[in-house]
Amino acid sequence: MLLALCPLLGFAQEPENDQEQRITALEEQSETLDKLVKGLSKFKASAYIQGQYQYGEEDASLKVGDKNENADAGFNRIGIRRGRIKFEYNDGIGTGAVQIEVNDKGVSYRDLYIGVKDPWTKRSSLTVGVFNRPFGYEIPYSTSNLESPERATIIQDFFPDERDLGAMLTLQPVKESKFYFLKLEAGLFAGNSINKETDSRKDFIGRLGAEKTIGDYAQWGLGVSYYNGSVYNPTTTAYEMVGKEFRVVDKGTTGTYMKREYVGMDGQFSILTAMGKTTLRAEGLLGIQPGIAGSSKSPNYSARPTNSPENALYKRPFIGYFFYLIQDIGSSPFSAVLKYDTYDPNTDLQKDEVGLAGSNTSKTDLAQSTIGIGALYRFSKNVRLQAYYEINSNEKSANVSGYESDRKDNVLTVRLQYKF
């Protein structure tokens, strides 16, 4: 019987050479799979979508939808505030990133940069392209994590889109160093936000920051920032403060530049107690900001402005600051938020000094402040609901039409966010 089965068993057995080939093929497939997994681990895609409802009093400006169609009544809008998707590839030495923005106003890009790390000392890196400016704490703080619907007023006005085109060097000791908590970021930027560059001048931006944990229950951080740049003036004249009025300065020719300079400080502290995590953040800026008569915002032209009177620059000394108090409610998914935000675009003027005949001052020189009260509820690590009410106040002047009293411009925001 065994003799009879031997031929069958021999026939069923695979030749030794075929077995080796099959093993080799499996090993090659395993190597290919490993390479694919390693390659995918270097690639990262992330996104978040913010849908929101807003109600504003008659003088309010909302972030979604069109402006108020009724001059004497409040209004509401729904829309997509932000829809962002980011693709990033990191091979350990180099990084490439692209971030796209989609909302109810259209499609644009946010990040578009290349990063290269120092492979020898591992203490430095170079970033080139369009990315967050290295100024303060709130600019690089993702709006998907922000406890208020928007960044502070002065950040929105002075750093439109938060990003700029430029090159930045980052220096930080290795993790084993006792000075690892220090980080220096500094670079040269076009100074025109995410728009194309329109001149040969560059702005310097830098920040020295420190961040450290205290056990597993507290953390603190401090930072000092500096901005030194300029703004193009397309007219032969400009305006500078002399006493309580703007005086005309003859520049002699078009195409001159006016200096813009900011100094900033920021601080953060958080502690974990039985009440939950408590976080305090504060940031302030002061300096000189050139703007036009109708706006103190940083110009971010996609093309050079024309030589017309409304484009002449006004040099304003400013100050702005804001702080947050965020209290997690125990271990629950709730958090309470309190924020105070103030911005004075012209510290040389107060109240009725603004708008005097012949002073060349206007509503642009009036200060504004906001008290924000909000709540967050996290359904999961992906889904977050936010409710936030802004009580907006403006500096009053009897000489500025529409600003003799406090404007009716409070805003309620309810936002649902999905992040993945």
Side-chain angles (χ1 to χ4, degrees):
M1 184 67 176
L2 291 172
L3 292 172
L5 288 173
C6 281
L8 293 175
L9 290 171
F11 179 77
Q13 288 177 349
E14 191 174 17
E16 191 175 335
N17 288 342
D18 289 350
Q19 237 178 0
E20 289 178 356
Q21 289 175 3
R22 194 174 286 242
I23 291 170
T24 301
L26 288 171
E27 288 175 346
E28 289 176 351
Q29 288 176 5
S30 179
E31 279 183 30
T32 303
L33 186 60
D34 285 344
K35 288 179 181 178
L36 181 61
V37 170
K38 287 179 182 178
L40 289 174
S41 68
K42 298 175 183 178
F43 178 79
K44 180 182 177 183
S46 59
Y48 63 95
I49 302 167
Q50 296 174 340
Q52 72 184 34
Y53 165 88
Q54 285 191 297
Y55 171 82
E57 294 182 310
E58 55 255 46
D59 297 323
S61 296
L62 304 184
K63 293 296 185 179
V64 293
D66 206 352
K67 62 183 181 180
N68 191 3
E69 74 277 22
N70 300 308
D72 299 320
F75 65 115
N76 66 83
R77 297 288 186 267
I78 60 172
I80 302 298
R81 177 63 183 98
R82 296 179 183 91
R84 295 186 179 177
I85 182 167
K86 185 174 183 178
F87 303 100
E88 184 176 340
Y89 190 86
N90 187 333
D91 64 6
I93 299 297
T95 300
V98 179
Q99 183 172 204
I100 306 298
E101 166 83 74
V102 183
N103 58 30
D104 58 6
K105 294 179 174 60
V107 180
S108 60
Y109 76 93
R110 281 297 176 267
D111 291 317
L112 189 61
Y113 63 84
I114 301 166
V116 180
K117 293 183 179 179
D118 165 20
W120 300 284
T121 66
K122 299 180 180 179
R123 290 181 174 90
S124 63
S125 63
L126 177 68
T127 308
V128 180
V130 176
F131 51 93
N132 284 318
R133 299 170 174 102
F135 192 102
Y137 185 84
E138 182 149 298
I139 287 176
Y141 196 82
S142 173
T143 46
S144 66
N145 298 323
L146 196 63
E147 295 82 6
S148 60
E150 307 297 332
R151 291 181 171 86
T153 303
I154 195 168
I155 299 298
Q156 294 181 63
D157 285 1
F158 284 17
F159 302 95
D161 300 310
E162 298 88 51
R163 294 152 176 85
D164 208 336
L165 172 64
M168 177 182 72
L169 182 65
T170 302
L171 300 174
Q172 186 173 25
V174 293
K175 287 185 178 181
E176 296 75 20
S177 170
K178 62 181 179 180
F179 297 109
Y180 177 69
F181 69 98
L182 294 173
K183 185 177 183 181
L184 175 65
E185 298 171 295
L188 296 176
F189 295 83
N192 208 27
S193 184
I194 62 175
N195 295 312
K196 63 185 178 183
E197 189 170 22
T198 57
D199 59 44
S200 299
R201 298 171 78 98
K202 304 292 182 289
D203 294 353
F204 171 84
I205 311 175
R207 178 180 184 265
L208 176 62
E211 191 173 297
K212 213 165 188 181
T213 57
I214 304 172
D216 56 358
Y217 62 91
Q219 185 175 6
W220 63 267
L222 293 171
V224 179
S225 303
Y226 181 63
Y227 189 118
N228 191 317
S230 58
V231 176
Y232 176 76
N233 183 39
T235 68
T236 58
T237 58
Y239 294 82
E240 296 184 7
M241 286 297 298
V242 177
K244 300 297 181 181
E245 63 182 34
F246 279 111
R247 295 275 181 88
V248 179
V249 178
D250 185 6
K251 295 295 182 178
T253 182
T254 60
T256 57
Y257 290 83
M258 185 173 281
K259 185 181 183 68
R260 59 174 161 182
E261 186 175 30
Y262 318 150
V263 177
M265 294 190 67
D266 61 85
Q268 311 84 42
F269 178 75
S270 63
I271 186 168
L272 187 62
T273 66
M275 295 173 57
K277 185 178 180 182
T278 304
T279 301
L280 289 167
R281 292 204 304 269
E283 190 165 344
L285 292 78
L286 57 82
I288 298 168
Q289 169 69 359
I292 58 175
S295 175
S296 63
K297 296 181 179 180
S298 287
N300 58 329
Y301 308 113
S302 56
R304 278 195 173 192
T306 58
N307 181 1
S308 57
E310 63 269 18
N311 290 329
L313 291 182
Y314 287 67
K315 187 177 182 181
R316 297 182 176 94
F318 73 87
I319 188 170
Y321 53 90
F322 52 95
F323 70 80
Y324 291 83
L325 170 61
I326 304 113
Q327 179 63 59
D328 295 348
I329 310 302
S331 58
S332 77
F334 280 102
S335 296
V337 181
L338 177 65
K339 178 181 177 181
Y340 181 73
D341 169 8
T342 187
Y343 166 47
D344 186 348
N346 194 334
T347 55
D348 284 350
L349 301 173
Q350 291 183 355
K351 299 180 179 179
D352 291 344
E353 294 172 346
V354 180
L356 289 171
S359 69
N360 293 311
T361 60
S362 67
K363 63 181 183 181
T364 307
D365 301 290
L366 292 170
Q368 54 188 303
S369 62
T370 301
I371 297 174
I373 304 169
L376 298 168
Y377 183 82
R378 301 168 185 86
F379 291 95
S380 68
K381 66 178 182 179
N382 302 99
V383 183
R384 187 178 81 165
L385 180 64
Q386 183 177 45
Y388 194 84
Y389 190 70
E390 298 174 18
I391 304 169
N392 294 305
S393 302
N394 58 267
E395 188 176 20
K396 296 175 281 293
S397 173
N399 302 304
V400 180
S401 177
Y403 290 82
E404 299 90 349
S405 59
D406 191 41
R407 291 165 63 82
K408 296 181 178 180
D409 54 358
N410 294 349
V411 175
L412 169 68
T413 301
V414 180
R415 173 183 293 171
L416 183 64
Q417 173 181 287
Y418 190 83
K419 183 179 179 180
F420 56 96

